Amino acid sequence: MATFLVIQAARFGDVVQTGRLLRTLERRGQVHLAVDAGLSALARLIYPFATVHGLALHGCQEQEVLEKNIRVLSGWRSTEFTTVYNCNFSGLTAALCRMFAPETVVGYRPAADGIWRSPWARMAFQLSGQRVLSSLNLVDFWGHFTNDPLPPAEVNPVAAPGGQGIGVVLAGRESRRSLPVPLLAEVVRTAFSAMGGPRVRLLGSSAEKNVARKLQKLLPPKMLDRVEDLSGKTDWPGLVDAVSGLDALITPDTGSMHLAAHLGVPVLAFFLSSAFAHETGPYGQGHLVWQAERHCVPCLESAPCPYDTACLEPFCSQALLRSLTLALTEGTERAALPEGLQLWRSCVDSLGAVLHLVAGADRHAARRAQVREFLASYLDVPFVPSADEAESITISGEANSGLAWLFDEWLCRDTDWMLPPGRYC
């Protein structure tokens, strides 16, 4: 039987977003998954089929990584892995891959001049040079590390209310990507009213306890007996229990959002600053994302904002709350949004996750559709553009312009075509 090792040493959300790759490999053999030790319990919960290995990585230097993980690595030495999938462009994980034959490592491995990237990983790095034109969800990036991955519609359940009320993720890891508490309170009040007064669960770590207190002070007194503050009170099993069966999860771009999508919980997501729904939006069918749209979005969260987070301004419009009410009651057909704000519904096609614009304007629609068409061709995936994509290309007048603009030293270079596409991920 084939035996696979997947190394995913990044954060909570990244572990969940590796699901397409892991579930594909589950159908082909035995799966081992290496994660940061603090995420081991979560990984075992959401991937019960995998043998999970916890790695000591935090505060670890590259030269220490082998020594600190000697117990795990000794077990790896006695296992003959058919393929090792290293999902992280990282010196630490590349160092771990030194113990494997180079030809068995997919993704990233050590090289004399740094870290070697496979052709598919190199292609994605080039795509990130113009992130606003991205049409590739991170789940699908990792999913296509292997040939013929699990069909996108089989990765996560179709989103459906579970009868357990509303979940509210209080904040994300990067504060600039989260709605301010007063605005979040308006969103929660609006959803509470539109959904007929269900129970509300506030979700977050101990660091968000103060946010929970501030939020509750801004909610109407009649709501408070329906609010349960779980900030800082859930371990990984507790978080899974708290999210499972919700009718909706209100959230920025967070690991809890990806967990909800994994569980089939409808997501109501708010993306601004460096968060970009085409890259890291909730995976599957039936989620909604309100996305900021500015010349500077998406930005780098590590860099200071020179515009005083101007991408937040459209979220303060009453039109946002009206569109939320429509989405939770009669549907999004009549939703209208101010300039600088879009509303997307998540769908899937043969390549992976794709977003359908239901309100707002998308000036990049045509080129994003062409990038998607190109990526499907590169991966040898049979692809028919959605009606939205085909229409946007035609309206823009680019229907017959071909893909030449993709090859102007941005997306493709000659070396990318030296190996059969999609085969040596």
Side-chain angles (χ1 to χ4, degrees):
M1 175 185 291
T3 305
F4 306 105
L5 173 63
V6 176
I7 302 174
Q8 177 50 273
R11 301 187 293 265
F12 169 18
D14 301 274
V15 172
V16 184
Q17 290 175 99
T18 318
R20 189 179 183 189
L21 173 61
L22 290 166
R23 293 188 59 201
T24 298
L25 299 177
E26 177 197 7
R27 298 186 174 191
R28 300 175 182 174
Q30 185 178 6
V31 179
H32 292 248
L33 172 61
V35 299
D36 181 81
L39 295 170
S40 296
L42 171 72
R44 292 187 180 99
L45 280 171
I46 61 177
Y47 304 122
F49 56 83
T51 300
V52 176
H53 306 271
L55 298 173
L57 295 172
H58 285 308
C60 188
Q61 300 297 317
E62 186 174 332
Q63 61 270 23
E64 302 172 319
V65 69
L66 299 178
E67 178 182 348
K68 286 195 172 185
N69 293 286
I70 189 66
R71 182 177 298 179
V72 173
L73 301 187
S74 63
W76 290 359
R77 281 196 180 92
S78 61
T79 305
E80 188 174 342
F81 292 114
T82 308
T83 312
V84 176
Y85 297 89
N86 180 14
C87 297
N88 311 114
F89 183 70
S90 158
L92 294 178
T93 58
L96 292 172
C97 291
R98 290 195 182 103
M99 64 182 296
F100 305 114
E103 63 272 14
T104 68
V105 179
V106 168
Y108 311 96
R109 66 174 186 247
D113 56 349
I115 300 175
W116 175 89
R117 304 171 187 167
S118 65
W120 172 236
R122 192 163 62 243
M123 175 67 67
F125 268 72
Q126 291 167 222
L127 182 65
S128 69
Q130 293 194 45
R131 289 177 61 199
V132 74
L133 300 182
S134 173
S135 62
L136 184 71
N137 191 285
L138 188 56
V139 173
D140 298 317
F141 168 59
W142 283 321
H144 284 286
F145 269 30
T146 187
N147 293 326
D148 193 24
L150 186 73
E154 298 180 27
V155 175
N156 287 340
V158 176
Q164 298 299 311
I166 304 171
V168 180
V169 179
L170 295 164
R173 189 179 62 88
E174 168 55 51
S175 60
R176 203 166 73 200
R177 304 198 311 188
S178 302
L179 297 180
V181 175
L183 178 53
L184 179 60
E186 290 191 50
V187 168
V188 174
R189 286 199 304 266
T190 300
F192 180 83
S193 176
M195 297 175 69
R199 296 200 63 82
V200 178
R201 296 173 183 167
L202 306 184
L203 305 173
S205 67
S206 296
E208 279 78 60
K209 285 184 175 181
N210 189 46
V211 177
R213 286 192 291 268
K214 290 180 179 178
L215 177 65
Q216 291 178 88
K217 288 180 180 178
L218 295 173
L219 297 177
K222 66 179 181 180
M223 278 188 62
L224 295 180
D225 66 344
R226 304 290 290 165
V227 176
E228 182 181 11
D229 180 9
L230 295 178
S231 58
K233 299 176 183 177
T234 56
D235 54 11
W236 291 122
L239 179 62
V240 172
D241 286 343
V243 173
S244 297
L246 288 172
D247 295 305
L249 182 74
I250 295 170
T251 181
D253 183 3
T254 62
S256 295
M257 177 195 75
H258 296 297
L259 176 62
H262 172 83
L263 296 170
V265 172
V267 169
L268 305 173
F270 300 86
F271 276 49
L272 62 153
S273 184
S274 59
F276 194 49
H278 296 279
E279 295 175 335
T280 58
Y283 198 94
Q285 302 175 72
H287 307 289
L288 293 174
V289 182
W290 283 262
Q291 170 74 60
E293 201 283 326
R294 272 177 57 88
H295 68 88
C296 53
V297 171
C299 60
L300 289 174
E301 64 185 40
S302 58
C305 176
Y307 306 110
D308 194 25
T309 321
C311 58
L312 177 62
E313 293 175 8
F315 288 88
C316 300
S317 166
Q318 286 297 307
L320 169 69
L321 302 180
R322 287 193 293 271
S323 69
L324 177 59
T325 298
L326 286 171
L328 294 172
T329 54
E330 60 185 83
T332 56
E333 288 77 10
R334 296 194 299 110
L337 293 174
E339 183 179 356
L341 190 59
Q342 302 164 330
L343 174 56
W344 300 87
R345 181 179 295 277
S346 66
C347 308
V348 296
D349 62 16
S350 59
L351 182 62
V354 65
L355 297 176
H356 165 67
L357 185 69
V358 294
D362 181 20
R363 56 199 167 97
H364 300 292
R367 289 202 162 186
R368 192 178 295 118
Q370 288 185 320
V371 171
R372 192 165 186 80
E373 180 183 0
F374 164 76
L375 290 176
S377 174
Y378 183 85
L379 292 166
D380 197 24
V381 173
F383 183 73
V384 177
S386 68
D388 290 346
E389 292 167 331
E391 181 181 4
S392 67
I393 293 173
T394 301
I395 290 174
S396 71
E398 296 184 11
N400 299 314
S401 65
L403 300 174
W405 65 276
L406 285 166
F407 297 86
D408 61 358
E409 298 185 0
W410 166 47
L411 196 54
C412 291
R413 298 182 174 89
D414 290 343
T415 53
D416 292 320
W417 298 94
M418 292 176 67
L419 296 172
R423 188 165 299 169
Y424 296 92
C425 297

